[in-house]
Amino acid sequence: MRVWPALRLSGLATRDPGSELPTSDLLHAALADHPVAAIEELSDNDWQVFFTGAEERRLAAEAVTGQFPAVSVETVDVPDDDWAARSQASLHAIRVGNFIVAPPWDAQTTAGTTSIIIQPSMGFGTGHHATTRLCLRALQRASLAARRVLDVGTGSGVLAIAASLLGAASVEGIDDDVDAIQAARENLDLNPAGAVRFEVIDLRRFTGGPFDVVTANLTGGLLTAVAGMLERLTSAGGTLILSGLMTHEADDVLASFRNCTSITREDEDEWVCVTLERRSPA
């Protein structure tokens, strides 16, 4: 039987002294920088976080210990006895604007809504995280008809599929994670009305574009690092939708996008989504 390297984290129900959010929400942001396979939330206070390799687990353990000294970190090896299926079974459909994002076992539609079916897999986004919801709302406010869209760090493909269903002329989703693209392609099969081209590629080697709309639900640090690349991929007058950053990071992240003008901003808890317009060259 396969054994998964994991971390048992305890003490998550506390609150960080410098934040209104519980430690669990801050941990979600910190773990986004590591290749997490899945998170099993045993309780409000305890998680098991799974990794595909022991080295990835070691690096994550060091980061969590350094950033969250009040959190107990225990290294464990967990037998693969369908823990993923058990942890995902509690997920149900959620409504975000006119979209209903649902796992296959809770697919549903109501008048005036569009369904997106997402199979929870390896921790990729299902729409239940605040940043995904923020991006879905921002996409619905944007004008996508007849426009070219790029979704950077596509993960489950939910944003790319949503853009296609909103009438985009063409949609591409890129990610440097092979498992993410496999999950995205499987999700696209569950949404036959969508048309998206998914590609395994590092953003630094991507030569497509420019695009009318670019979405990037990453992390604050990564958005800052790739700001110039994202701007180059966005056509003059085009739209950039950014999320994955937190309230305390927003000013520094936005300062990195020197060739853009901020159009809208929406916050949920301490997560932020901003819509920018790429300025035309002087």
Side-chain angles (χ1 to χ4, degrees):
M1 179 183 294
R2 177 175 182 175
V3 174
W4 289 83
L7 295 175
R8 176 71 178 263
L9 307 179
S10 302
L12 280 61
T14 60
R15 289 186 179 271
D16 186 278
S19 172
E20 296 181 358
L21 285 181
T23 299
S24 57
D25 284 5
L26 299 175
L27 261 173
H28 264 299
L31 290 170
D33 292 327
H34 298 274
V36 172
I39 297 175
E40 184 177 14
E41 299 186 9
L42 304 173
S43 71
D44 291 341
N45 197 58
D46 300 277
W47 289 355
Q48 282 191 145
V49 183
F50 296 85
F51 302 86
T52 56
E55 178 64 10
E56 289 83 358
R57 175 180 62 183
R58 183 187 68 79
L59 294 172
E62 291 179 355
V64 171
T65 300
Q67 295 179 54
F68 303 93
V71 172
S72 172
V73 180
E74 179 186 359
T75 298
V76 294
D77 294 312
V78 182
D80 187 354
D81 56 352
D82 293 329
W83 57 264
R86 293 199 312 273
S87 65
Q88 295 161 2
S90 62
L91 293 177
H92 297 288
I94 63 167
R95 180 164 180 172
V96 185
N98 291 327
F99 281 124
I100 293 179
V101 184
W105 55 84
D106 195 31
Q108 54 187 269
T109 57
T110 60
T113 66
T114 300
S115 292
I116 304 177
I117 307 303
I118 298 294
Q119 174 68 57
S121 173
M122 297 295 285
F124 300 126
T126 60
H128 288 76
H129 194 274
T131 60
T132 308
R133 294 193 297 271
L134 288 166
C135 287
L136 286 170
R137 289 197 285 265
L139 278 170
Q140 291 174 80
R141 290 191 295 266
S143 175
L144 299 187
R147 305 185 82 186
R148 296 183 64 204
V149 177
L150 174 69
D151 183 28
V152 177
T154 196
S156 68
V158 60
L159 298 182
I161 294 168
S164 178
L165 296 178
L166 286 168
S170 66
V171 184
E172 295 185 45
I174 63 172
D175 204 300
D176 61 3
D177 188 322
V178 174
D179 291 330
I181 293 298
Q182 178 62 31
R185 289 170 176 162
E186 291 172 359
N187 287 326
L188 183 62
D189 289 340
L190 297 174
N191 297 273
V196 183
R197 178 176 179 267
F198 290 113
E199 182 180 4
V200 180
I201 191 168
D202 189 297
L203 175 61
R204 293 167 295 185
R205 298 197 303 273
F206 184 66
T207 58
F211 295 85
D212 302 305
V213 179
V214 175
T215 62
N217 184 11
L218 304 172
T219 66
L222 188 51
L223 287 170
T224 299
V226 301
M229 300 177 201
L230 294 175
E231 287 184 329
R232 286 193 293 274
L233 287 170
T234 308
S235 60
T239 300
L240 260 169
I241 296 173
L242 311 176
S243 195
L245 62 155
M246 303 190 76
T247 304
H248 69 273
E249 303 173 302
D251 289 344
D252 289 340
V253 173
L254 292 178
S256 302
F257 289 83
R258 300 180 179 86
N259 299 302
C260 292
T261 301
S262 181
I263 303 301
T264 63
R265 168 175 167 165
E266 183 180 1
D267 295 38
E268 183 175 333
D269 297 324
E270 289 195 8
W271 298 101
V272 178
C273 178
V274 292
T275 299
L276 309 177
E277 181 180 312
R278 175 73 158 89
R279 289 194 295 270
S280 300

